[in-house]
Amino acid sequence: EVQLLESGGGLVQPGGSLRLSCAASGFTFNNYAMSWVRQAPGKGLEWVSVISASSGSTEYGDSVRGRFTISRDDSKNTVYLQMNSLRAEDTAIYYCAKWTSSGWYIGSYFDYWGQGTLVTVSS
Amino acid sequence: EIVLTQSPATLSLSPGERATLSCRASQNVNNYLAWYQQKPGQAPRLLIYDASYRATGIPARFSGSGSGTDFTLTISRLEPEDFAVYYCQQRSNWLTFGGGTKVEIK
């Protein structure tokens, strides 16, 4: 059974930093790209970032590029999201999601999701 | 950026009725479109990929159709557990989600 367990969320002041983790199990982690998707309270889904299976390629959404960094540790079956220079508009539930392919390929989708971790940016 | 517009925003139906949800893309996404279901307090779940293929374990009452810029998710007969928010997503050019359609009990 595929499981994705996020952690690291919490309350942080504007301008602060936070590191999210996602521990994966139930599939061959190093064969798949992994992603982060967020959802502001009462709002829709927004893709944040993706990292390919080889860790050689990363992509970011416009709203987080330059502030957030995605990484992965295949020895720990874990993907991370380092979030710097946080803003109030970054407040959201952050979901870790497994990609259906090894890379940022056209025609790929999110086939498994974690339950999410809440990040609140407020003074 | 490809914009996905979902309609209607809210669909009020009774159990047993047919639900038809629309997703329109601002540019051609070929068939690279997926549908997700999200219930309150839960993570999204993949229902349909490549516009018309059901994901593993998804009941046959869910079907997807369309190509290019116009797509439809159909739930043939609504079950009580189908009342939720549905999102479309494209991975043809970058990645975007639609704004969602809420299917609520009438």
Side-chain angles (χ1 to χ4, degrees):
Chain A
E1 179 191 5
V2 172
Q3 291 193 335
L4 300 171
L5 184 60
E6 302 95 336
S7 60
L11 175 64
V12 61
Q13 292 188 337
S17 298
L18 212 55
R19 188 199 198 200
L20 306 183
S21 300
C22 171
S25 62
F27 64 100
T28 306
F29 182 75
N30 59 10
N31 283 353
Y32 293 94
M34 297 295 295
S35 198
W36 290 92
V37 177
R38 69 184 182 182
Q39 186 170 35
K43 301 299 184 182
L45 302 169
E46 179 187 13
W47 171 72
V48 173
S49 183
V50 65
I51 185 166
S52 69
S54 66
S55 288
S57 178
T58 58
E59 299 286 353
Y60 299 91
D62 289 344
S63 61
V64 306
R65 191 178 295 115
R67 300 187 299 123
F68 290 11
T69 302
I70 191 171
S71 61
R72 63 190 293 160
D73 184 339
D74 289 349
S75 68
K76 296 182 179 179
N77 284 4
T78 300
V79 61
Y80 304 96
L81 186 68
Q82 177 66 43
M83 303 185 296
N84 298 331
S85 303
L86 283 161
R87 306 165 180 166
E89 53 265 35
D90 295 319
T91 294
I93 295 173
Y94 284 74
Y95 293 103
C96 169
K98 174 183 169 293
W99 204 230
T100 54
S101 63
S102 62
W104 180 235
Y105 301 137
I106 289 174
S108 300
Y109 309 100
F110 306 106
D111 57 354
Y112 291 96
W113 300 64
Q115 286 304 302
T117 187
L118 177 62
V119 172
T120 303
V121 184
S122 174
S123 55
Chain B
E1 175 183 301
I2 294 178
V3 177
L4 299 178
T5 302
Q6 292 189 241
S7 61
T10 303
L11 197 53
S12 299
L13 295 168
S14 301
E17 289 192 294
R18 181 184 187 91
T20 303
L21 288 66
S22 172
C23 177
R24 178 163 292 179
S26 60
Q27 302 173 36
N28 182 7
V29 300
N30 296 292
N31 288 339
Y32 302 127
L33 189 109
W35 291 93
Y36 300 85
Q37 176 194 65
Q38 187 178 33
K39 298 178 183 180
Q42 296 187 18
R45 177 174 70 146
L46 178 64
L47 298 176
I48 301 288
Y49 65 94
D50 287 347
S52 62
Y53 294 88
R54 276 189 302 276
T56 303
I58 301 303
R61 65 180 181 273
F62 291 92
S63 64
S65 63
S67 65
T69 60
D70 290 295
F71 300 88
T72 300
L73 174 69
T74 301
I75 310 171
S76 58
R77 287 178 57 86
L78 282 164
E79 298 288 340
E81 61 269 27
D82 299 336
F83 291 92
V85 179
Y86 294 83
Y87 295 96
C88 57
Q89 172 244 315
Q90 65 84 19
R91 177 61 193 105
S92 175
N93 183 332
W94 210 239
L95 191 157
T96 50
F97 288 95
T101 289
K102 181 180 181 180
V103 179
E104 64 175 23
I105 299 177
K106 186 175 182 180

